[in-house]
Amino acid sequence: MINGYSQSVFLLLLKSTSLVSLNWVDSLVIVLYFIFVVGIGFYLLRYTKTGEDFFLAGRRMSSWVAGLSFVAANLGSLELMGWAASAYQYGILATHWYWIGAIPAMLFLAIVMMPFYYISRTHSVPGYLKLRYGESTSMLSGVSFAFMTVLMSGINMFAMALVMKVILGWSIDFSIWVSSLTVMLYVVLGGLLSAIFNEVLQFMLIWLGALVIPVLGLIEAGGWSGMVSKIHANFPAGNYTHLWSTLGSFKDNPMGIHWTGIVFGLGFVISFGYWTTDFLVVQRLLSAKDLRSAKMAPIIGAGFKMMVPFIVILPGLLGLAVMPGLLPQQQAIATGGNSYNEVLPLMLARYAGPGLLGLGITALIAGFMSGMAGNVTAFSTVWTYDIYRPIHMKLAKKERPDEYYVKMGRWATIIGVIISIGTAYLVQQFASIMDYVQALFSFFIAPLFGTVILGMLWKRATGPGGFWGLLAGTLASVGMYVWVKLQPSALGIIALSKYAKPMADDMYRALWCWLVTVIVTIVVSYMTTPKPEAELTGLVRGCTEIPSEGHLPLVKRPIFWAGVVFAVLVILNVIFW
Amino acid sequence: MVDNKGISIWFFIGTLLLLYGIIVTGANIYQAYNPSFGRPTVLENLHFGIWWGILLIVVGLIYFIGFRPWKNANQHPD
């Protein structure tokens, strides 16, 4: 998910010196990583023959592999650096994006939605919309998703290249071309199978590379209590270590947000929208070998997601304790100091000796590549099955052989990467594009969740209802965004408080446009004729027989582990209240 | 993990971690005797790199041995 970090990354361009320099041992660690990811692609080429192999990894993945890649596809390097910076700026409040802003949605996906995605045997989320609502809704969702995915991939690529320039002094061209061509090579060779395998590898490297900081940071700060005391001593006026106690009023916390925005905007609409309908992450689950694995995968992913603050938020908090004085980006540029946007690489440079620094940089590169591979594989699937295929069928009125679609998927991967590279260079020229594309991406997420969830849970939802609901919700989101851009005081109306800050805008905009989608879908559905129930089998609750898990021992039932993860989530929130 | 033909992904992970462990441990042992080899870092007296390198070797070996392809020939990699 987006946190505004990538925009501020632009200001890093103004820095002329790099933060660290690598010795040959660190470089060897990075080179080995590249050799392995490409090697895995070449090795898996032999297992990628059919469309199901290329686009769905043969539907053979275990719950662990699907679950880890589900989380890794979301763990971009900007996510790591951005949230560490946010933790330095806002304190532990940033953890909400990992806990309430992710875990309930992932568990809901596992228990409620996954059966319909999996039983319908769809290739993609737009594919599900086609089965449930028809071609027009699927095409609207598919085209917007494909377009946004490659653009977002390009933006992340450029931002990552900037980060590498600042940390290591690498040229932007070098970072863009080496990383993107590597991703392209291994995805073209092995499709989703290769992307998933590399994501599992990248997930391990992200943890083993990034974990150095919290471990040594806690030793230096004197443990958790020592860190909290140091933060209070360094920032006596701020409250950086409580999750909920400052959210009673917009004025009491540095984010300028109210608990209703966190619970309903972030915890409900935004996170449910992202985690349950963004095909980039859902695609990993469709590769599971059976329904139980497909349900367990997001639960396993949720367990790991819940621990990610340890390597992302904690370094930011440790920075507040042991490196007070990092500045907002513009102030840092003016004074020649360091910005809190650089807190993660600064902490890495503070603790990591030879080899460990290379491992930490590899973790950042791995994060970027796992995110990009997620974008590229999702794009090639949606393009091939949800955009090209229906148009071809309409024009030629005949089906192509399976091998043709595999070839198309490979070409879509290459073209997707080329468009991403082009976007990266475009963003370099016109920085404001980044703002607009990120906003554009957010326009589709919340309405899509409204459309999909009604489609799965409400038999009466009709094709026209789904289409007009999705369109109305998206336009409502665009309208609110433009309104706030033209008249900033409108933020107070949308977020229901004059003290609201831009972060609150995203939450409340998502909430309102989701409501618009739901209301329009319901109204139009009641005005139009529903599909016969026989056509809804495998797509809608009440029309679909979901295999019972009653015969399984308790420890093998997804619902049991979902309960365990949820209980841990509640306990963690109480501990850090 | 279901292995029915091919090399498991965990074997690749084990191999890479093992190599990383050897490199990190070796470089940090060398640095302990030649302090000018690396940059000065906070808490370098703990020789954390050596311990982290050993951890990587142990984790790498567990996966390397546990998922070695010559244990069960003709497996699928997933």
Side-chain angles (χ1 to χ4, degrees), chain A residues 507-536:
Chain A
M507 313 284 149
Y508 286 93
R509 185 154 47 86
L511 190 56
W512 301 136
C513 71
W514 180 81
L515 279 172
V516 168
T517 303
V518 169
I519 291 166
V520 172
T521 304
I522 290 172
V523 170
V524 176
S525 291
Y526 274 122
M527 294 161 62
T528 46
T529 313
K531 275 185 175 181
E533 282 201 19
E535 289 180 27
L536 299 177

Coordinates of all heavy atoms in Angstrom, one line a residue, chain A residues 507-536:
Chain A
M507 N -8.4 7.7 3.9 CA -9.2 6.8 4.6 C -10.7 7.1 4.3 O -11.5 6.2 4.0 CB -9.0 7.0 6.1 CG -7.6 7.0 6.6 SD -6.9 5.4 6.6 CE -5.3 5.8 6.2
Y508 N -11.1 8.4 4.5 CA -12.5 8.7 4.4 C -13.0 8.7 2.9 O -14.1 8.3 2.6 CB -12.8 10.1 5.0 CG -12.8 10.0 6.5 CD1 -11.6 10.2 7.3 CD2 -13.9 9.6 7.3 CE1 -11.5 10.1 8.6 CE2 -13.9 9.4 8.6 CZ -12.7 9.7 9.3 OH -12.6 9.5 10.7
R509 N -12.1 9.1 2.0 CA -12.5 9.0 0.6 C -12.8 7.5 0.2 O -13.8 7.2 -0.5 CB -11.3 9.5 -0.3 CG -11.6 9.6 -1.7 CD -10.8 10.7 -2.4 NE -9.4 10.7 -2.1 CZ -8.5 9.9 -2.7 NH1 -8.8 9.1 -3.7 NH2 -7.2 9.9 -2.4
A510 N -12.0 6.6 0.7 CA -12.2 5.2 0.4 C -13.5 4.7 1.0 O -14.3 4.0 0.3 CB -11.0 4.4 1.0
L511 N -13.8 5.2 2.2 CA -15.0 4.8 2.9 C -16.3 5.3 2.1 O -17.2 4.5 1.8 CB -15.0 5.4 4.3 CG -16.1 4.9 5.3 CD1 -16.1 3.4 5.4 CD2 -15.9 5.6 6.6
W512 N -16.2 6.6 1.7 CA -17.4 7.1 1.0 C -17.6 6.5 -0.4 O -18.7 6.2 -0.8 CB -17.3 8.6 0.8 CG -17.2 9.4 2.1 CD1 -16.4 10.4 2.4 CD2 -18.0 9.2 3.3 NE1 -16.5 10.9 3.7 CE2 -17.5 10.1 4.2 CE3 -19.0 8.3 3.7 CZ2 -18.0 10.2 5.5 CZ3 -19.5 8.4 5.0 CH2 -19.0 9.3 5.9
C513 N -16.5 6.3 -1.1 CA -16.7 5.7 -2.5 C -17.1 4.2 -2.4 O -17.8 3.8 -3.3 CB -15.5 6.0 -3.4 SG -14.0 5.0 -3.0
W514 N -16.7 3.6 -1.4 CA -17.1 2.2 -1.2 C -18.6 2.2 -0.9 O -19.4 1.4 -1.5 CB -16.4 1.5 0.0 CG -16.8 0.1 0.3 CD1 -16.4 -1.0 -0.4 CD2 -17.8 -0.3 1.2 NE1 -17.0 -2.1 0.1 CE2 -17.9 -1.7 1.1 CE3 -18.6 0.3 2.2 CZ2 -18.7 -2.5 1.9 CZ3 -19.4 -0.5 3.0 CH2 -19.5 -1.8 2.9
L515 N -19.1 3.1 -0.1 CA -20.5 3.2 0.2 C -21.3 3.5 -1.1 O -22.4 3.0 -1.4 CB -20.8 4.3 1.2 CG -20.6 3.8 2.7 CD1 -20.7 5.0 3.6 CD2 -21.6 2.7 3.1
V516 N -20.7 4.4 -1.9 CA -21.4 4.8 -3.2 C -21.5 3.5 -4.1 O -22.6 3.2 -4.6 CB -20.6 5.9 -4.0 CG1 -21.1 6.0 -5.4 CG2 -20.7 7.2 -3.2
T517 N -20.4 2.7 -4.2 CA -20.5 1.5 -5.0 C -21.6 0.6 -4.5 O -22.4 0.1 -5.3 CB -19.1 0.8 -4.9 OG1 -18.1 1.7 -5.3 CG2 -19.1 -0.5 -5.7
V518 N -21.6 0.4 -3.2 CA -22.6 -0.6 -2.6 C -24.0 -0.1 -2.9 O -24.8 -0.9 -3.3 CB -22.3 -0.8 -1.1 CG1 -23.4 -1.5 -0.4 CG2 -20.9 -1.5 -0.9
I519 N -24.2 1.2 -2.6 CA -25.6 1.7 -2.7 C -26.1 1.6 -4.2 O -27.1 1.1 -4.5 CB -25.7 3.1 -2.2 CG1 -25.5 3.1 -0.7 CG2 -27.0 3.8 -2.6 CD1 -25.3 4.4 0.0
V520 N -25.2 2.1 -5.1 CA -25.6 2.1 -6.5 C -25.8 0.6 -7.0 O -26.7 0.3 -7.8 CB -24.5 2.8 -7.4 CG1 -24.8 2.6 -8.9 CG2 -24.5 4.3 -7.1
T521 N -24.9 -0.3 -6.6 CA -25.0 -1.7 -7.0 C -26.4 -2.3 -6.5 O -27.1 -2.9 -7.3 CB -23.9 -2.6 -6.5 OG1 -22.6 -2.0 -6.9 CG2 -24.0 -4.0 -6.9
I522 N -26.7 -2.0 -5.3 CA -28.0 -2.5 -4.7 C -29.2 -1.9 -5.5 O -30.1 -2.6 -5.9 CB -28.1 -2.2 -3.2 CG1 -27.0 -3.0 -2.5 CG2 -29.5 -2.4 -2.7 CD1 -26.9 -2.7 -1.0
V523 N -29.2 -0.6 -5.7 CA -30.3 0.1 -6.3 C -30.5 -0.4 -7.8 O -31.6 -0.8 -8.2 CB -30.1 1.6 -6.3 CG1 -31.2 2.3 -7.2 CG2 -30.2 2.2 -4.9
V524 N -29.4 -0.4 -8.5 CA -29.5 -0.9 -9.9 C -29.9 -2.4 -10.0 O -30.6 -2.8 -10.9 CB -28.2 -0.6 -10.7 CG1 -28.2 -1.1 -12.1 CG2 -27.9 0.9 -10.7
S525 N -29.3 -3.2 -9.1 CA -29.7 -4.6 -9.1 C -31.2 -4.8 -8.9 O -31.7 -5.7 -9.5 CB -28.9 -5.3 -8.0 OG -27.5 -5.3 -8.3
Y526 N -31.8 -4.0 -8.0 CA -33.2 -4.2 -7.8 C -34.0 -3.7 -9.0 O -35.2 -4.1 -9.1 CB -33.6 -3.4 -6.5 CG -33.5 -4.2 -5.2 CD1 -32.7 -3.8 -4.2 CD2 -34.1 -5.5 -5.1 CE1 -32.5 -4.6 -3.0 CE2 -33.9 -6.3 -4.0 CZ -33.1 -5.8 -2.9 OH -33.0 -6.6 -1.8
M527 N -33.4 -2.9 -9.8 CA -34.1 -2.4 -11.0 C -33.9 -3.3 -12.2 O -34.5 -3.1 -13.3 CB -33.6 -1.0 -11.4 CG -34.0 0.1 -10.3 SD -33.0 1.5 -10.5 CE -33.4 2.1 -12.1
T528 N -33.0 -4.3 -12.1 CA -32.7 -5.2 -13.2 C -32.9 -6.6 -12.8 O -33.1 -7.0 -11.7 CB -31.2 -5.0 -13.7 OG1 -30.4 -5.0 -12.5 CG2 -31.1 -3.7 -14.4
T529 N -32.9 -7.5 -13.9 CA -33.2 -8.9 -13.7 C -32.0 -9.7 -13.2 O -30.9 -9.6 -13.9 CB -33.7 -9.5 -15.0 OG1 -34.6 -8.6 -15.6 CG2 -34.3 -10.9 -14.8
P530 N -32.1 -10.4 -12.1 CA -30.9 -11.2 -11.7 C -30.7 -12.5 -12.5 O -31.6 -12.9 -13.2 CB -31.3 -11.6 -10.2 CG -32.8 -11.6 -10.2 CD -33.3 -10.6 -11.2
K531 N -29.5 -13.0 -12.4 CA -29.2 -14.3 -13.1 C -29.9 -15.4 -12.4 O -30.1 -15.3 -11.1 CB -27.6 -14.5 -12.9 CG -26.8 -13.9 -14.0 CD -25.3 -14.4 -13.8 CE -24.4 -13.9 -14.9 NZ -23.0 -14.3 -14.7
P532 N -30.2 -16.4 -13.1 CA -30.8 -17.6 -12.4 C -29.8 -18.2 -11.5 O -28.6 -18.2 -11.8 CB -31.1 -18.6 -13.6 CG -30.9 -17.9 -14.8 CD -30.1 -16.6 -14.6
E533 N -30.3 -18.8 -10.4 CA -29.3 -19.3 -9.4 C -28.4 -20.4 -9.9 O -27.3 -20.5 -9.5 CB -30.1 -19.9 -8.2 CG -30.7 -18.9 -7.3 CD -31.0 -19.4 -5.9 OE1 -30.5 -20.4 -5.5 OE2 -31.7 -18.7 -5.2
A534 N -28.9 -21.1 -10.9 CA -28.0 -22.2 -11.5 C -26.7 -21.6 -12.1 O -25.7 -22.3 -12.1 CB -28.8 -23.0 -12.6
E535 N -26.8 -20.4 -12.6 CA -25.6 -19.7 -13.2 C -24.7 -19.1 -12.1 O -23.6 -18.7 -12.5 CB -26.1 -18.6 -14.2 CG -26.7 -19.2 -15.4 CD -27.1 -18.0 -16.4 OE1 -26.5 -17.0 -16.3 OE2 -28.1 -18.3 -17.1
L536 N -25.1 -19.2 -10.9 CA -24.3 -18.6 -9.8 C -23.5 -19.6 -9.0 O -22.8 -19.3 -8.1 CB -25.2 -17.7 -8.9 CG -25.9 -16.6 -9.5 CD1 -26.8 -15.9 -8.5 CD2 -24.9 -15.6 -10.1

